């Protein structure tokens, strides 16, 4: 399944059980006392009547305050928390203490969980969603999943369904099956803030839901994990760390949008949530569901070649809603025809006007934030770059600064060229979300519009507020980055526009076309999900990109066939395993020299172990060759199988061949080469 060891899973579960600390970005050593202080536990004092006072009858010469205390205790017929008793009887601490000293009351003290609310916020006035009539394809998929659940054996179901086909409803029915049998289920989502609608809908349809996200305090997270371990929470929804939830009766794991790269933890310990879910499913002999409209190529390949995989396809949208029409606009040809460069093509502007005239909603995806991605001098071709990173500064007009999006270096937006003797006036190139928002405001001055990016959405509550307003149709156009491309379902969105769709295709990554196809398919899937027919306009300067070609046709299968042929020819996953070594140092010469030495040692190791179909690529500069003052070089180790890769990595580690003068990151089964 991956280079992942079962011991990592056992370690994560052990930490979760004993120290109430989910395995996420880092592992922290926590003492039991620290857990008690911060885990949402408290000392609670309860007050009860002593055996001397069996009844209030016959009690004479007692003050009215003491009588009220005894009446409350007699009414409840047991013990009452001290604080609550004082509030109900409206008496002071002195009165209670006097009754204790007189032998009338006794105090019991014990440790309890606090009442910290760790559940997802659900509007209680909103009725639960009714059961839906399943389509024939959904029924078939559910039958396959139920068979796996009943077999009590490990198996993987790839739920491959187009956007809006009802994958969530299949998840719901499968989880209900598990709950009916007394089990627990984990539903993994790539990012809680981007799947807020899904989380809220599931929380309304299930009792005992636990939601794990980064917004929880340590105390809330500890309480939640203890309740999961006690079996009180039976449906666990969360991001990466939720895969380690200490569920004692776990019977099903669901990985929604399994292709998302955010499932890969990019800090130590490095692991991929999908691989952890598969390994945990195998260890516990339980089924795993991988759901996606655009599965990762490795998952698709496994579903065709591995005996423990099966594939269920949802080829149509629910209620027979048609897929949106996709229009591809070549912006180079557009500029030649209108004789000027345009931010919004004629097709996009026309369809936006039609959409707004019908009082429907629109979404525009811009894969860059800020106002302009580059500040350049047309006179000497100089670009304003970050002095710490090999990247250009991005102009943010709202803040009045030019900012590096990697190291956060900022400076006031310059207006003239810094080169001595030039003095040219800088121009702003490349459109970001701020610039698109300004252009739309000029074209449609009366339209209600909102921008969604990391500059405006500084807290998950901000994003939730915008989504709620858009759902209530208080916003006509939503402009944003990839935050608006995933996990959203709005019935009145009939138009989706994509600006600068070619930026991902330029990435020097063997997965570039896969990422491009996935993003275009996901954002196009936001349009026309209900009665209003959907239309999508994709603006690009690279109309011949394979990812765009097949995304226009909503044809994932043809795209996969072509991409797999390319991967097999070039020797990349799923046909070979890849481990990436990233060396970084403040001196470029040192980084390159250490990279050449390490690459040679790896080649010698391959030769000494006589491992066939293994090789080393590099060292070469990383796509982002300088980051935060450190020069970066790549080495790629490729092997035919996971067994060969494990053998090579073990030999390198045991013989201490990975020691280097530079910083070194080892990323097994890398998902990105940025």
């Amino acid at each position: 399944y991956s280079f992942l060891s079962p011991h990592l899973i056992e370690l994560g579960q052990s930490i979760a059980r004993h120290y109430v600390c989910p395995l996420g970005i880092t592992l922290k050593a926590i003492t039991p006392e620290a857990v008690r202080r911060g885990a949402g536990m408290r000392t609670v004092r309860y007050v009860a009547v002593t055996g001397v006072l069996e009844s209030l009858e016959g009690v004479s010469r007692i003050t009215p305050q003491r009588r009220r205390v005894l009446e409350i205790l007699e009414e409840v017929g047991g013990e009452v928390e001290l604080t609550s008793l004082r509030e109900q009887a409206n008496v002071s601490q002195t009165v209670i203490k006097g009754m204790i000293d007189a032998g009338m009351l006794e105090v019991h003290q014990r440790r309890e969980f606090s009442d910290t609310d760790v559940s997802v916020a659900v509007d209680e006035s909103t009725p639960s969603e009714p059961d839906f009539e399943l389509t024939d394809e959904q029924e078939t998929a559910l039958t396959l999943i139920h068979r796996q659940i009943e077999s009590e054996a490990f198996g993987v179901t790839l739920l491959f369904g187009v956007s809006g086909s009802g994958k969530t409803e299949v998840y719901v029915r499968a989880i209900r099956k598990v709950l009916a049998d007394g089990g627990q289920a984990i539903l993994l989502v790539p990012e809680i803030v981007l799947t807020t609608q899904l989380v809220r809908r599931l929380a309304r349809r299930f009792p005992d839901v636990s939601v794990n996200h980064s917004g929880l305090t340590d105390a809330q997270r500890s309480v939640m994990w203890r309740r999961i371990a006690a079996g009180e929470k039976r449906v666990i929804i969360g991001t990466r760390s939720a895969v380690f939830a200490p569920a004692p009766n776990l019977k099903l794991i669901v990985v929604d949008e399994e292709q998302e790269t955010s499932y890969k933890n990019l800090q130590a310990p490095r692991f991929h949530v999908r691989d952890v879910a598969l390994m945990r499913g195998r260890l516990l002999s339980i089924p795993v569901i991988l759901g996606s409209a655009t599965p990762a190529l490795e998952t698709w390949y496994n579903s065709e070649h591995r005996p423990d995989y099966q594939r269920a396809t949802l080829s149509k949208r629910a209620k027979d809603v048609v897929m949106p029409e996709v229009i591809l606009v070549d912006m180079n040809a557009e500029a030649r025809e209108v004789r000027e460069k345009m931010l919004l093509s004629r097709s996009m502007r026309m369809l936006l006007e039609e959409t707004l005239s019908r009082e429907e909603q629109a979404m525009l995806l811009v894969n860059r934030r800020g106002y302009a991605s580059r500040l350049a001098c047309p006179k000497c071709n100089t670009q304003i770059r970050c002095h710490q990173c090999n990247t250009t500064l991005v102009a943010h007009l709202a803040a009045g600064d030019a900012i590096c999006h990697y190291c956060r270096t900022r400076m006031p937006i310059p207006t003239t060229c810094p080169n001595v003797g030039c003095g040219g006036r800088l121009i702003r190139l490349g459109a970001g979300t701020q610039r698109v928002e300004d252009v739309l405001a000029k074209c449609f001055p009366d339209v209600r519009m909102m921008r969604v990016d990391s500059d405006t959405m500084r807290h998950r509550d901000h994003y939730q507020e915008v989504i709620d307003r858009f759902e209530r149709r208080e916003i006509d156009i939503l402009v944003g980055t990839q935050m608006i491309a995933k996990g959203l379902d709005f019935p009145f969105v009939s138009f989706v526009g994509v600006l600068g769709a070619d930026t991902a295709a330029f990435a020097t990554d063997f997965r570039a076309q896969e990422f491009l196809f996935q993003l275009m398919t996901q954002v196009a899937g936001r349009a026309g999900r209900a009665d209003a027919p959907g239309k999508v306009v994709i603006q690009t300067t690279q109309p011949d990109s394979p990812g765009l070609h097949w995304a226009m046709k909503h044809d994932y299968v043809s795209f996969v066939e072509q991409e797999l042929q390319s991967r097999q020819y070039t020797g990349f996953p799923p046909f070979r395993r890849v481990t990436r070594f990233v060396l970084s140092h403040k001196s470029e010469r040192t980084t390159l020299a250490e990279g050449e030495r390490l690459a040679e040692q790896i080649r010698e190791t391959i030769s000494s172990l006589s491992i066939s179909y293994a090789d080393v690529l590099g060292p070469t500069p990383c796509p982002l060759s300088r980051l935060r003052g450190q020069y970066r070089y790549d080495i790629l180790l490729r092997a035919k199988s996971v067994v060969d890769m494990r053998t090579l990595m073990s030999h390198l580690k045991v013989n201490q061949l990975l020691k280097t003068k530079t910083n070194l990151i080892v990323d097994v089964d890398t998902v990105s080469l940025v």
Side-chain angles (χ1 to χ4, degrees):
Y1 288 89
S2 75
F3 189 67
L4 181 75
S5 166
H7 299 297
L8 179 58
I9 297 183
E10 294 174 3
L11 174 63
Q13 291 177 280
S14 174
I15 290 173
R17 282 195 302 270
H18 299 296
Y19 299 104
V20 203
C21 173
L23 179 58
I25 294 178
T26 58
L27 289 174
K28 298 179 180 179
I30 300 180
T31 64
E33 180 59 31
V35 171
R36 284 194 293 272
R37 289 198 307 269
M41 297 192 71
R42 60 177 182 168
T43 300
V44 183
R45 303 178 71 192
Y46 288 92
V47 179
V49 179
T50 61
V52 177
L53 295 175
E54 295 182 356
S55 172
L56 286 177
E57 296 180 7
V59 177
S60 60
R61 288 183 298 180
I62 188 172
T63 66
Q65 291 178 320
R66 290 189 175 188
R67 181 171 290 276
R68 283 201 307 272
V69 171
L70 294 175
E71 286 174 349
I72 292 172
L73 288 169
E74 185 181 49
E75 183 179 342
V76 299
E79 60 183 16
V80 177
E81 187 180 349
L82 176 59
T83 304
S84 176
L85 178 61
R86 287 177 52 194
E87 292 175 353
Q88 292 182 54
N90 192 26
V91 297
S92 66
Q93 177 69 29
T94 304
V95 174
I96 302 294
K97 185 177 184 302
M99 296 178 72
I100 295 172
D101 294 340
M104 302 173 70
L105 303 179
E106 58 185 4
V107 177
H108 307 284
Q109 183 170 296
R110 57 178 179 263
R111 302 281 294 175
E112 289 186 353
F113 291 125
S114 68
D115 294 328
T116 308
D117 181 14
V118 296
S119 60
V120 65
V122 179
D123 184 3
E124 297 295 340
S125 64
T126 304
S128 298
E129 295 184 36
D131 290 340
F132 300 100
E133 288 292 330
L134 297 183
T135 65
D136 292 340
E137 290 182 329
Q138 287 175 316
E139 289 280 8
T140 300
L142 200 59
T143 299
L144 292 174
I145 294 170
H146 280 180
R147 286 175 185 168
Q148 279 196 340
I149 295 173
E150 293 166 357
S151 69
E152 297 184 353
F154 170 69
V156 183
T157 299
L158 170 58
L159 186 59
F160 168 55
V162 299
S163 60
S165 60
K167 294 187 291 295
T168 302
E169 189 62 25
V170 176
Y171 301 158
V172 169
R173 304 294 179 98
I175 293 174
R176 280 181 179 168
K177 167 71 174 173
V178 168
L179 298 184
D181 296 337
Q184 293 172 291
I186 294 176
L187 172 62
L188 299 166
V189 294
E191 175 56 55
I192 289 288
V193 72
L194 303 184
T195 52
T196 178
Q197 286 184 318
L198 170 65
V199 171
R200 287 194 299 175
R201 290 172 181 176
L202 288 175
R204 285 199 294 263
R205 300 186 68 177
F206 291 115
D208 307 325
V209 172
S210 173
V211 180
N212 177 30
H213 57 77
S214 59
L216 297 179
T217 64
D218 291 342
Q220 288 176 322
R221 185 172 290 106
S222 295
V223 171
M224 178 182 67
W225 281 56
R226 286 185 181 272
R227 288 176 176 170
I228 293 171
E232 297 176 15
K233 297 297 183 181
R234 300 172 62 198
V235 180
I236 301 102
I237 304 174
T239 50
R240 290 190 296 261
S241 60
V243 74
F244 296 106
N249 198 24
L250 187 60
K251 298 298 181 183
L252 177 68
I253 302 177
V254 180
V255 185
D256 187 39
E257 301 296 346
E258 63 84 29
Q259 83 288 346
E260 282 294 328
T261 56
S262 58
Y263 278 130
K264 181 67 178 279
N265 192 53
L266 297 179
Q267 292 179 310
R270 290 176 178 260
F271 62 91
H272 198 299
V273 168
R274 181 185 62 227
D275 294 337
V276 176
L278 293 173
M279 183 64 77
R280 190 171 184 186
R282 174 172 286 278
L283 293 174
L284 297 177
S285 297
I286 62 174
V288 178
I289 301 175
L290 306 178
S292 178
T294 55
L297 261 67
E298 291 89 334
T299 301
W300 182 269
Y301 183 83
N302 288 338
S303 71
E304 292 188 324
H305 295 86
R306 293 187 66 103
D308 47 5
Y309 274 70
Q310 61 181 6
R311 186 165 68 226
T313 302
L314 307 179
S315 60
K316 299 179 181 178
R317 285 183 159 185
K319 301 179 182 179
D320 293 326
V321 175
V322 298
M323 296 297 291
E325 176 188 356
V326 181
I327 302 169
L328 193 67
V329 177
D330 182 353
M331 294 304 290
N332 292 325
E334 185 87 357
R336 288 193 297 269
E337 291 179 14
V338 299
R339 296 184 179 181
E340 65 173 315
K341 288 189 176 182
M342 303 175 63
L343 187 60
L344 301 180
S345 65
R346 291 168 295 177
S347 297
M348 183 171 292
R349 188 172 300 196
M350 178 186 69
L351 290 173
L352 262 176
E353 291 175 351
E354 294 176 358
T355 299
L356 297 172
S357 66
R358 295 192 301 266
E359 297 185 350
E360 294 169 353
Q361 293 173 298
M363 300 173 70
L364 294 186
L365 171 70
V366 187
N367 211 18
R368 291 185 182 275
R369 58 191 178 96
Y371 186 87
S373 58
R374 288 176 294 155
L375 295 168
C377 174
K379 190 175 179 181
C380 65
N381 295 325
T382 296
Q383 296 192 26
I384 307 301
R385 309 187 73 84
C386 174
H387 67 280
Q388 293 283 338
C389 309
N390 185 25
T391 184
T392 57
L393 296 181
V394 179
H396 288 251
L397 287 192
D401 289 333
I403 304 173
C404 173
H405 287 175
Y406 294 95
C407 70
R408 307 306 300 169
T409 293
R410 61 173 60 215
M411 60 184 293
I413 299 177
T415 57
T416 57
C417 180
N419 282 350
V420 178
C422 177
R425 188 168 185 82
L426 297 178
I427 59 174
R428 298 161 183 169
L429 303 173
T433 50
Q434 290 182 15
R435 185 179 177 191
V436 173
E437 184 183 33
D438 286 351
V439 171
L440 288 172
K442 294 176 182 177
C443 295
F444 308 100
D446 299 326
V447 168
R448 299 167 299 178
M449 184 168 35
M450 186 65 70
R451 173 163 54 92
V452 178
D453 55 28
S454 57
D455 295 322
T456 57
M457 305 293 107
R458 298 188 179 277
H459 190 274
R460 62 189 306 270
D461 291 342
H462 300 160
Y463 181 81
Q464 182 62 58
E465 180 184 354
V466 171
I467 296 305
D468 289 342
R469 290 183 58 194
F470 197 64
E471 200 165 19
R472 294 193 300 265
R473 303 185 69 182
E474 296 175 4
I475 300 173
D476 301 315
I477 301 178
L478 206 60
V479 180
T481 54
Q482 294 188 34
M483 297 178 74
I484 67 171
K486 309 164 187 177
L488 299 177
D489 183 7
F490 300 111
F492 293 99
V493 173
S494 61
F495 176 75
V496 169
V498 182
L499 288 80
D502 50 284
T503 53
F506 287 114
T508 56
D509 194 323
F510 65 90
R511 300 184 194 270
Q513 291 301 321
E514 181 182 2
F515 292 156
L516 180 61
F517 178 89
Q518 289 171 345
L519 180 59
M520 293 303 103
T521 301
Q522 287 171 346
V523 70
R526 303 309 108 200
R529 297 174 71 95
D531 297 332
K535 289 193 176 182
V536 180
V537 171
I538 299 176
Q539 298 183 173
T540 179
T541 57
Q542 296 289 319
D544 297 329
S545 298
L548 292 178
H549 173 76
W550 295 115
M552 279 185 60
K553 301 180 178 181
H554 307 287
D555 192 350
Y556 174 82
V557 175
S558 296
F559 168 75
V560 167
E561 291 176 354
Q562 178 176 333
E563 188 68 10
L564 284 176
Q565 290 178 2
S566 174
R567 297 277 186 90
Q568 187 172 23
Y569 178 76
T570 55
F572 282 103
F575 300 98
R576 297 175 80 177
R577 310 300 288 253
V578 176
T579 293
R580 184 190 187 200
F581 301 86
V582 181
L583 300 93
S584 60
H585 192 270
K586 62 182 180 181
S587 167
E588 184 174 15
R589 179 179 298 179
T590 300
T591 309
L592 178 57
E594 287 294 294
E596 291 174 342
R597 183 189 61 80
L598 178 58
E600 185 58 32
Q601 287 182 334
I602 297 175
R603 292 188 181 97
E604 292 175 358
T605 300
I606 294 173
S607 177
S608 65
L609 296 177
S610 301
I611 296 180
S612 303
Y613 304 106
D615 60 4
V616 177
L617 303 179
T620 57
C622 294
L624 189 59
S625 60
R626 190 165 183 255
L627 181 65
R628 301 181 183 92
Q630 300 273 317
Y631 291 93
R632 305 166 73 238
Y633 274 77
D634 257 341
I635 298 174
L636 297 183
L637 168 60
R638 301 190 297 182
K640 181 67 174 178
S641 66
V642 67
V643 175
D644 290 344
M645 184 63 75
R646 184 179 290 117
T647 301
L648 284 167
M649 293 302 299
S650 298
H651 186 86
L652 292 171
K653 182 178 180 181
V654 169
N655 291 280
Q656 299 184 348
L657 300 179
L658 297 180
K659 286 189 174 182
T660 172
K661 299 177 183 178
T662 67
N663 299 316
L664 177 64
I665 294 175
V666 181
D667 186 9
V668 179
D669 290 336
T670 184
V671 297
S672 175
L673 298 183
V674 176

